Amino acid sequence: MNISVGKKHFLRINTWDDIYKMSGYTDSLDPKKEKLKQVINKYELPNKGRCGLSNCRTPHNIGCIVETESGRLTNLGNDCGKKYFGENFTSLSNKLSKEIDYANKIENIKLAKLNIAENYRKLNEIEADWKKIERVYRAIKSEGLDGLYDKLEQMKYSKSSIIAIQRRATESEIELEEVRTGKDVQNPFYMSDNLGDLKGLNYLTDRIKT
């Protein structure tokens, strides 16, 4: 797992080569001759690599990238940082951790905003579908059971499994139909709302033959 802050120089550390190829990196930094400037990144890798301090070289997979006053970079574990750079390392490491935490919170807020927008869009779609369902339900209810039986009979003889309800078209639907056909549409004009497919329709059509 790579941990980084967007404003730092090195954003992603997926392998040890990502560290070794950094500009100014050295794998033999002498902590006695260098003064720590900042901790610029943290990493957690699946395999172990050696500490970049010349007097350590201890294998580890969790550590950080540091920059010295001379501009040189190297990698080391937290224990090495505390041991060779003391409280300065601890302070700089904690500072970076706070920046990481802040950056993660900002990112989570951005994701939450995107989720809110997406959920609001889905809610609008559901509300639109529900209004359509209510309209179809009222149409079925107004026609009564006799009308429903008639529709089943029509489906049986036409061998169409589509359950559809006829309703009067809206003004916008009439306009679209006139544009599509290039002709004036006589009012009232009816549209067909498909509710779905009726499973087992073949049973009804088979009974007609017997």
Side-chain angles (χ1 to χ4, degrees):
M1 178 181 68
N2 169 58
I3 305 174
S4 63
V5 177
K7 69 179 183 179
K8 296 301 179 182
H9 301 296
F10 310 108
L11 302 181
R12 293 189 180 278
I13 301 175
N14 298 314
T15 67
W16 286 102
D17 282 341
D18 293 336
I19 298 175
Y20 302 150
K21 292 178 181 178
M22 291 179 179
S23 176
Y25 175 81
T26 177
D27 62 355
S28 58
L29 184 80
D30 186 349
K32 296 180 180 179
K33 298 180 179 179
E34 298 282 348
K35 184 178 180 180
L36 189 62
K37 179 180 179 181
Q38 62 177 338
V39 180
I40 65 171
N41 212 329
K42 295 189 176 183
Y43 58 85
E44 182 175 343
L45 299 173
N47 57 315
K48 292 185 177 182
R50 293 188 179 278
C51 174
L53 298 181
S54 59
N55 56 347
C56 180
R57 314 294 289 159
T58 303
H60 67 281
N61 64 329
I62 300 176
C64 55
I65 309 298
V66 298
E67 180 183 9
T68 64
E69 293 288 353
S70 66
R72 305 178 77 190
L73 307 181
T74 197
N75 65 290
L76 47 82
N78 287 335
D79 291 340
C80 293
K82 294 176 184 178
K83 180 177 180 180
Y84 295 106
F85 295 107
E87 290 300 320
N88 188 30
F89 170 83
T90 301
S91 176
L92 292 173
S93 180
N94 290 340
K95 179 176 179 291
L96 177 61
S97 294
K98 290 179 180 179
E99 291 178 352
I100 290 172
D101 183 61
Y102 178 78
N104 288 337
K105 287 179 179 178
I106 294 297
E107 185 65 24
N108 289 336
I109 291 173
K110 291 180 179 178
L111 291 175
K113 287 183 177 179
L114 291 176
N115 289 336
I116 289 173
E118 177 64 14
N119 290 335
Y120 186 74
R121 183 189 64 79
K122 290 180 179 178
L123 178 60
N124 286 337
E125 290 181 353
I126 292 171
E127 289 179 344
D129 288 342
W130 181 249
K131 289 179 181 179
K132 182 177 180 181
I133 292 170
E134 284 186 319
R135 184 175 66 245
V136 172
Y137 171 75
R138 287 194 298 269
I140 293 175
K141 187 176 181 180
S142 65
E143 292 188 18
L145 288 178
D146 290 341
L148 182 58
Y149 290 147
D150 290 342
K151 285 178 173 54
L152 288 174
E153 285 293 318
Q154 293 171 8
M155 292 169 62
K156 181 175 68 175
Y157 287 103
S158 67
K159 297 183 181 181
S160 172
S161 63
I162 301 298
I163 304 174
I165 296 297
Q166 297 295 319
R167 61 171 177 80
R168 292 188 66 166
T170 64
E171 291 184 5
S172 61
E173 288 172 333
I174 291 174
E175 291 176 0
L176 287 174
E177 182 66 16
E178 289 178 340
V179 171
R180 186 183 69 83
T181 61
K183 299 178 181 180
D184 291 336
V185 173
Q186 297 297 322
N187 201 9
F189 181 71
Y190 290 89
M191 302 287 291
S192 179
D193 279 335
N194 294 337
L195 302 182
D197 291 341
L198 178 64
K199 294 182 179 180
L201 181 68
N202 59 329
Y203 171 76
L204 295 177
T205 56
D206 290 341
R207 285 179 61 85
I208 297 175
K209 300 175 183 177
T210 59

